[in-house]
Amino acid sequence: MTQTIIFDTDPGIDDAMALLFAHALPNIDLYGITTVFGNATIDDGTKNACYLRDRFGINAIIAKGADKPLVRPPVGPTTIVHGEHGLGYVEAPADTAINLDPRPAYQFLCEEVKRRSGEITIVAVGPLTNLALALQHDPEITQHVKQVVIMGGAFGLDGNCGNVAPFAEANIHDDPHAADLVFTADWPVVIVGLDVTHKAFFSGEYLDALRDSAGETGQFIHDISRFYLEFYSNKVGLNGCHVHDPSAIAYVADPSLFGTRSGPVRVVCDGPLTGMTVQKVDARRYSDDEFSDHRAQQVCVSVDDQRLLKLYQDSINRLA
Ligand code: RIB
Ligand code: CA
């Protein structure tokens, strides 16, 4: 069955990998792209989205989103991981046409989700600011969305607690207040966090093989990954990279790749644990309990990484 998605993104190297994956998958209809600050500034990220759409013939509406978090001071673009403008050593040409929907991302989300009630899955792979603004603007969208799948968070399984801070993943750390609003809203959320994205790995050899087999798209993925792999090599000591944002797309395309755990999720919003995500998995109601009244959300706790890597490779190869 075809899944219609709006892809909320901060492009971003792995965001671009995920966007091309969504474009390639036969059972995903990439209806819209909403941009958000994060890996790059909102202007650079929006330009990157427009460039990717034009270069790869992606038929999706783009709406520009938030340039800063709801409450916390902005952390700033992640240039150390994604390069000066978000795509590593690749730069969107200066004359990239910035053709956007006139609505801000939150309004686009609200209106399109309601207009196509029950049809749209929001896949969010950056800070969750646009989704939180949409919830504040029109809380009724929770009743109209099909589901919300996000890449973000870390629940400590197998020691996966954080990547930008000891206990925080980047997307949640960038806007913890937004994430807490999104996780506690009455809509179905699936969280694809570091617990699973750290278990799938694009090795240097895997990306070389994709370059050799997948035509222009494979070459492009290889080109943008050069900067990313240098970061992983220098800072993490790995020859390759974790599969973050493409894993959220993989969940939509084939949820059987993942095992999940159910329970309400909250986010720590200040102090040294800012951005930490916590899921309550027991049924007990405590006398001081700010979890149990919220909807149980799904957290991914296991992944069939080999099947996911094959799905990515087969899909991108199909574009060649
Ligand atoms: O922690 C990984 C996430 O942070 C990914 O979405 C990546 O693109 C960055 O935004
Ligand atoms: Ca991202």
Side-chain angles (χ1 to χ4, degrees):
M1 184 187 166
T2 301
Q3 308 288 329
T4 302
I5 70 166
I6 296 177
F7 186 58
D8 187 77
T9 175
D10 58 335
I13 292 169
D14 61 322
D15 301 72
M17 292 171 167
L19 184 61
L20 294 169
F21 189 25
H23 175 52
L25 278 158
N27 67 337
I28 288 192
D29 169 22
L30 180 54
Y31 173 68
I33 299 168
T34 48
T35 59
V36 65
F37 74 93
N39 294 324
T41 64
I42 188 62
D43 286 340
D44 278 344
T46 304
K47 184 178 175 192
N48 292 343
C50 291
Y51 168 57
L52 290 164
R53 176 178 62 181
D54 290 352
R55 174 152 177 195
F56 293 98
I58 298 169
N59 184 22
I61 306 163
I62 301 179
K64 184 175 179 177
D67 64 354
K68 60 177 187 310
L70 294 185
V71 177
R72 73 160 300 163
V75 171
T78 327
T79 53
I80 188 177
V81 187
H82 296 268
E84 196 56 34
H85 300 289
L87 294 179
Y89 292 119
V90 175
E91 215 173 301
D95 63 353
T96 300
I98 311 295
N99 292 322
L100 301 173
D101 191 274
R103 294 166 287 183
Y106 75 85
Q107 188 184 350
F108 176 81
L109 284 164
C110 288
E111 291 178 5
E112 295 305 316
V113 163
K114 281 181 100 167
R115 193 174 67 77
R116 303 186 60 175
S117 185
E119 285 180 35
I120 291 183
T121 292
I122 301 173
V123 186
V125 298
L128 295 172
T129 319
N130 291 334
L131 277 64
L133 290 170
L135 284 168
Q136 288 174 338
H137 178 69
D138 186 353
E140 274 185 20
I141 60 162
T142 57
Q143 307 311 309
H144 297 273
V145 77
K146 185 169 181 187
Q147 66 175 340
V148 179
V149 178
I150 75 112
M151 189 280 130
F155 293 84
L157 295 164
D158 297 321
N160 290 300
C161 299
N163 57 3
V164 289
F167 296 98
E169 180 280 331
N171 290 336
I172 308 302
H173 187 259
D174 268 353
D175 196 343
H177 299 85
D180 195 53
L181 275 176
V182 168
F183 297 157
T184 55
D186 187 19
W187 57 4
V189 180
V190 179
I191 302 174
V192 183
L194 299 184
D195 311 277
V196 287
T197 67
H198 276 180
K199 290 193 178 137
F201 190 67
F202 286 158
S203 66
E205 295 74 31
Y206 178 97
L207 292 163
D208 288 350
L210 208 59
R211 172 199 57 199
D212 296 341
S213 64
E216 187 190 346
T217 315
Q219 181 69 57
F220 180 79
I221 289 170
H222 194 268
D223 290 347
I224 58 173
S225 68
R226 295 308 88 191
F227 191 95
Y228 206 41
L229 261 57
E230 280 174 26
F231 166 79
Y232 269 89
S233 169
N234 296 336
K235 300 285 180 195
V236 194
L238 293 171
N239 171 29
C241 59
H242 296 306
V243 185
H244 293 306
D245 295 350
S247 291
I249 296 293
Y251 181 89
V252 179
D254 183 357
S256 77
L257 291 166
F258 297 87
T260 58
R261 185 176 80 178
S262 185
V265 174
R266 301 295 310 253
V267 180
V268 179
C269 288
D270 56 27
L273 298 179
T274 294
M276 184 177 183
T277 47
V278 185
Q279 184 181 41
K280 178 179 180 292
V281 291
D282 65 325
R284 181 174 161 192
R285 218 167 234 286
Y286 296 82
S287 52
D288 178 7
D289 188 341
E290 294 189 38
F291 283 78
S292 294
D293 286 338
H294 296 289
R295 181 184 182 125
Q297 309 292 14
Q298 304 305 312
V299 169
C300 289
V301 293
S302 62
V303 57
D304 186 337
D305 61 324
Q306 293 308 308
R307 213 150 59 79
L308 189 157
L309 294 182
K310 182 163 169 15
L311 179 64
Y312 191 85
Q313 189 175 40
D314 290 349
S315 308
I316 299 295
N317 278 340
R318 218 174 294 118
L319 292 177

